[in-house]
Amino acid sequence: MSTPTSHYQPPLQDIAFIHRHWLAAEADWQRMPAHEAMDQETADMVVEAAGRFCADVLAPLNGGADLQGCSLEQGRVRTPDGFPAAYAAFVEAGWPALACVPEAGGQGLPQLLDAALHEMLASANHGWTMYPGILHGAYACLHAHGDEHLRTTYLPHIVSGRWLATMCLTEPQAGSDLGLLRTQARPAGDGSYRIDGSKIFISGGDQDMSENIVHLVLARLPDAPAGTRGLSLFLAPRGIPRDGTLVPNGIHCDGIEKKMGIKGSATCAMRFEDAQAWLVGQPHQGLAAMFVMMNSARLHVGLQGVGHAEMAWQLARAYAAERRQMRVQPRPADAQGPADPIALQPAMRRILLDLRVWSEGMRAIASWVAHQLDLSEHAPDAQERSRAHALASLLTPVVKSFFTERGFALASDALQVFGGYGYVHEYRIEQTLRDARIAMIYEGTNQIQALDLLQRKVCASGGSALAPLLQVLRDEADACAAAGLEAQFAAPLRAWGDRLQALTQELCAGAQADAELAPRCAEDYLRLTGTLCMAFAWARAVRVSQGLEDASLREAKTASAHYFFSHGLLDAEHWQRRIQASAVVALPGAL
Ligand SMILES: Cc1cc2nc3c(=O)[nH]c(=O)nc-3n(C[C@H](O)[C@H](O)[C@H](O)COP(=O)(O)OP(=O)(O)OC[C@H]3O[C@@H](n4cnc5c(N)ncnc54)[C@H](O)[C@@H]3O)c2cc1C
């Protein structure tokens, strides 16, 4: 059996289908003053160039970086071979500035295109992608909350990508509960602050790819109240820019983790010792400033799930076409002849179809959420902006959590297609599986995302936060009915919208008397919401593909949509029943 030679192939056709037909993005761009010059042809060119970079520069480094990992040499991190050069090429091509506003030196392109870039980066090389992974978030945070000094001294270098950024939240005793943070900040008397404390698990805390590193650090001021209300956000550069040079700051990398996946990414233990820093935003308002960064970061993590599912699909499809075992049709005992490709076996076809249907459906939904972010900032009408904001905010935890969970599960399904070969490094799928797992943990664990959705957003609003999504499901059902798709698509979509609404009302009412009810049901509620988003994705896909000239694309979309509605949507029943069981059956106490 030969080892696979094919590398990552950017899913340009599907991205173009989503942008052109599923979203009809061009018409929206032309209504938004910030993007009125944008057209689909330009968008295609940007996505193609991003895909080339991912396939030609990043994907070839992925397997080697996994084996080599990072090392710490005299207090400095050395990243895998080829990483610094790939980053120089990324900066040179202007990718960090893609969706930053022109006033800050960015290209001002829609976040929808940034989403396509981030999915492809994750497919090609998740470990490498961790280094520029929070650049956009750091830009958004400083752009919104930085004062004049921070915006002029740091923002241009972040937008250009010459300086990379980190997000320093986690401490040994404080992970999901940031209220337990202990890192201290004290005023230095000259407008700056001094930071002391230890942070762990900091991605790219040190590296050899950019000339400087800008750390965004959560810490407590001396008069800070306890808990999360006492957190302030600071910018602490590794090198302090002064008179044209970078003066070393009191920031040290004490170690890097040995870990399950994304081995090319240095996960650092950081020590801040009398480190000079500047306040970002207002004292004790650090979480609010950080949230600007976390929302974009969470969408990017959800896109990692999509990227891993896509990579798993590509690897499994290529392998299944080549690997031959047994014949599909029974034959006479004496008949000779080669075995068939396993891609013809129904069990393998089922896995491959799942991979395609979930990858493409998740891409549509993640792109839709990115497009809502663009609309929430730039739509001409205030009501439309606020609706888009509500949808993006409701669905960000779903994209982060459900898609990363599915990305990991799909990578595991794909590994099965390889049999024993899937378990060895050479065939790449085991790396995809290991790399995919972290996305369920960082940027707020998937359990915390589920609480954010059900408790903090849906129940806290008495259910009204769900209204924009219910409206979307109903509008799509009506559009499908008008397109002659009533029985297979419109009716189930409408029925599920009604069931989600009724279930939500029950949960909101029950949660008032039972404080544990929402936390008990939250994960399955998020999965149910995610499954219904997928149904929306496929209902719209089958509807808009009806008018496509490309018959093979139309047939593929139609087959996938039918498969999702006949098989994938059955999951919704399962999640609904589990939620109903959890709503009435209390869990035993601590085990
Ligand atoms: C490779 C890697 C890279 C990382 N990069 C960064 C980074 O760049 N910057 C940074 O600041 N941090 C980073 N982190 C840290 C990451 O964000 C944390 O690991 C994560 O937030 C969880 O915190 P914890 O590990 O302390 O787990 P804990 O908070 O101790 O959680 C343990 C388990 O309990 C669950 N749990 C906790 N509270 C609740 C609750 N209320 N309800 C339900 N379940 C709950 C969690 O979901 C989890 O399953 C990284 C971690 C890793 C492994």
Side-chain angles (χ1 to χ4, degrees):
M1 187 69 203
S2 65
T3 53
T5 49
S6 65
H7 286 272
Y8 173 61
Q9 290 171 351
L12 300 179
Q13 187 193 39
D14 197 49
I15 294 174
F17 167 76
I18 291 169
H19 292 182
R20 274 173 200 275
H21 304 288
W22 199 98
L23 287 170
E26 188 180 69
D28 283 340
W29 289 330
Q30 289 174 359
R31 289 189 300 112
M32 297 187 239
H35 297 313
E36 63 192 358
M38 189 71 204
D39 57 40
Q40 190 54 56
E41 218 172 298
T42 312
D44 289 345
M45 280 177 354
V46 171
V47 174
E48 274 171 42
R52 264 198 310 278
F53 176 79
C54 293
D56 298 348
V57 180
L58 291 184
L61 300 175
N62 197 31
D66 184 52
L67 295 177
Q68 186 187 0
C70 297
S71 54
L72 190 61
E73 296 169 10
Q74 293 166 346
R76 292 305 315 263
V77 166
R78 189 159 176 261
T79 59
D81 296 344
F83 272 33
Y87 187 66
F90 185 73
V91 171
E92 177 67 27
W95 293 117
L98 187 75
C100 306
V101 295
E103 305 87 272
Q107 299 181 35
L109 295 179
Q111 299 206 42
L112 179 59
L113 301 190
D114 193 53
L117 168 68
H118 276 267
E119 180 210 311
M120 294 190 287
L121 290 173
S123 289
N125 195 328
H126 185 169
W128 182 93
T129 301
M130 294 299 290
Y131 296 98
I134 76 141
L135 267 185
H136 188 84
Y139 145 79
C141 179
L142 286 184
H143 185 60
H145 297 286
D147 61 15
E148 184 65 16
H149 162 239
L150 297 184
R151 283 209 302 267
T152 50
T153 313
Y154 294 94
L155 202 51
H157 296 299
I158 288 176
V159 170
S160 72
R162 278 183 61 210
W163 296 356
L164 278 165
T166 75
M167 185 159 80
C168 297
L169 283 64
T170 309
E171 297 178 10
Q173 77 295 346
S176 302
D177 187 355
L178 294 174
L180 300 173
L181 290 189
R182 289 190 197 132
T183 295
Q184 295 290 326
R186 60 199 147 80
D190 60 356
S192 73
Y193 294 79
R194 296 288 168 156
I195 294 197
D196 290 282
S198 295
K199 298 281 178 183
I200 59 163
F201 294 158
I202 305 308
S203 299
D206 192 46
Q207 34 81 4
D208 54 2
M209 291 163 55
S210 63
E211 66 191 44
N212 200 5
I213 306 173
V214 178
H215 300 282
L216 290 165
V217 188
L218 274 184
R220 283 182 191 288
L221 286 163
D223 59 343
T228 50
R229 279 161 203 236
L231 298 175
S232 305
L233 183 63
F234 296 89
L235 181 153
R238 181 173 196 284
I240 304 163
R242 196 171 292 150
D243 303 329
T245 59
L246 294 173
V247 180
N249 202 357
I251 303 174
H252 312 277
C253 175
D254 283 340
I256 52 178
E257 305 294 342
K258 288 197 188 315
K259 55 193 194 300
M260 174 180 179
I262 55 164
K263 294 184 186 216
S265 167
T267 307
C268 303
M270 302 300 296
R271 181 166 36 95
F272 291 80
E273 235 171 33
D274 202 28
Q276 191 170 19
W278 286 265
L279 186 66
V280 182
Q282 298 303 311
H284 316 317
Q285 301 291 319
L287 274 194
M290 203 92 194
F291 265 121
V292 177
M293 181 163 159
M294 286 200 265
N295 282 334
S296 101
R298 283 177 181 168
L299 175 62
H300 285 168
V301 175
L303 286 159
Q304 289 167 2
V306 182
H308 287 302
E310 171 66 32
M311 196 65 229
W313 155 228
Q314 290 193 15
L315 291 171
R317 181 181 44 185
Y319 184 83
E322 197 186 329
R323 175 73 171 170
R324 290 172 179 271
Q325 292 290 292
M326 299 200 195
R327 293 285 291 262
V328 178
Q329 297 298 332
R331 55 188 157 161
D334 58 348
Q336 296 295 312
D340 287 323
I342 58 168
L344 298 179
Q345 300 290 348
M348 296 296 104
R349 273 167 29 217
R350 168 70 57 78
I351 294 180
L352 294 174
L353 190 53
D354 267 331
L355 285 162
R356 182 176 84 182
V357 166
W358 280 93
S359 311
E360 294 181 1
M362 295 194 300
R363 175 176 302 117
I365 295 300
S367 305
W368 177 54
V369 171
H371 192 55
Q372 297 306 318
L373 288 177
D374 287 325
L375 288 166
S376 73
E377 278 180 48
H378 303 298
D381 173 53
Q383 220 179 342
E384 188 181 4
R385 285 199 300 277
S386 119
R387 181 177 160 278
H389 176 77
L391 270 174
S393 157
L394 180 78
L395 294 174
T396 297
V398 177
V399 170
K400 192 281 172 185
S401 197
F402 192 54
F403 291 2
T404 57
E405 184 174 279
R406 292 300 313 171
F408 178 70
L410 290 161
S412 179
D413 291 347
L415 191 149
Q416 195 69 17
V417 171
F418 289 75
Y421 293 99
Y423 206 67
V424 297
H425 179 80
E426 212 172 348
Y427 287 79
R428 300 195 187 96
I429 187 65
E430 63 86 33
Q431 184 189 350
T432 299
L433 180 67
R434 285 184 288 107
D435 287 355
R437 188 62 180 83
I438 185 57
M440 295 163 66
I441 297 171
Y442 60 22
E443 278 310 324
T445 66
N446 282 5
Q447 288 73 32
I448 300 298
Q449 302 298 322
L451 288 178
D452 180 42
L453 174 70
L454 181 58
Q455 202 166 30
R456 210 173 72 79
K457 289 176 175 155
V458 173
C459 287
S461 68
S464 66
L466 192 69
L469 178 63
L470 294 174
Q471 193 57 50
V472 164
L473 299 181
R474 284 183 188 127
D475 289 348
E476 187 54 48
D478 290 348
C480 282
L485 300 165
E486 172 64 32
Q488 308 100 314
F489 299 103
L493 196 59
R494 200 177 296 111
W496 268 112
D498 293 346
R499 285 163 83 169
L500 181 64
Q501 183 173 25
L503 184 66
T504 302
Q505 279 163 358
E506 281 168 37
L507 292 178
C508 290
Q512 292 183 353
D514 176 356
E516 253 209 4
L517 188 144
R520 279 201 308 272
C521 300
E523 284 185 273
D524 290 330
Y525 184 86
L526 184 143
R527 293 178 181 119
L528 173 61
T529 310
T531 307
L532 299 187
C533 286
M534 284 289 292
F536 161 57
W538 279 113
R540 178 173 281 194
V542 73
R543 176 172 63 81
V544 301
S545 67
Q546 283 187 328
L548 290 179
E549 279 175 21
D550 181 339
S552 68
L553 183 61
R554 188 173 64 238
E555 281 159 22
K557 290 291 176 194
T558 305
S560 293
H562 278 282
Y563 180 71
F564 187 83
F565 271 75
S566 62
H567 288 74
L569 194 51
L570 295 178
D571 289 353
E573 294 279 349
H574 173 69
W575 304 131
Q576 184 191 19
R577 284 175 184 223
R578 276 178 58 110
I579 294 163
Q580 286 167 334
S582 303
V584 293
V585 182
L587 293 168
L591 302 176

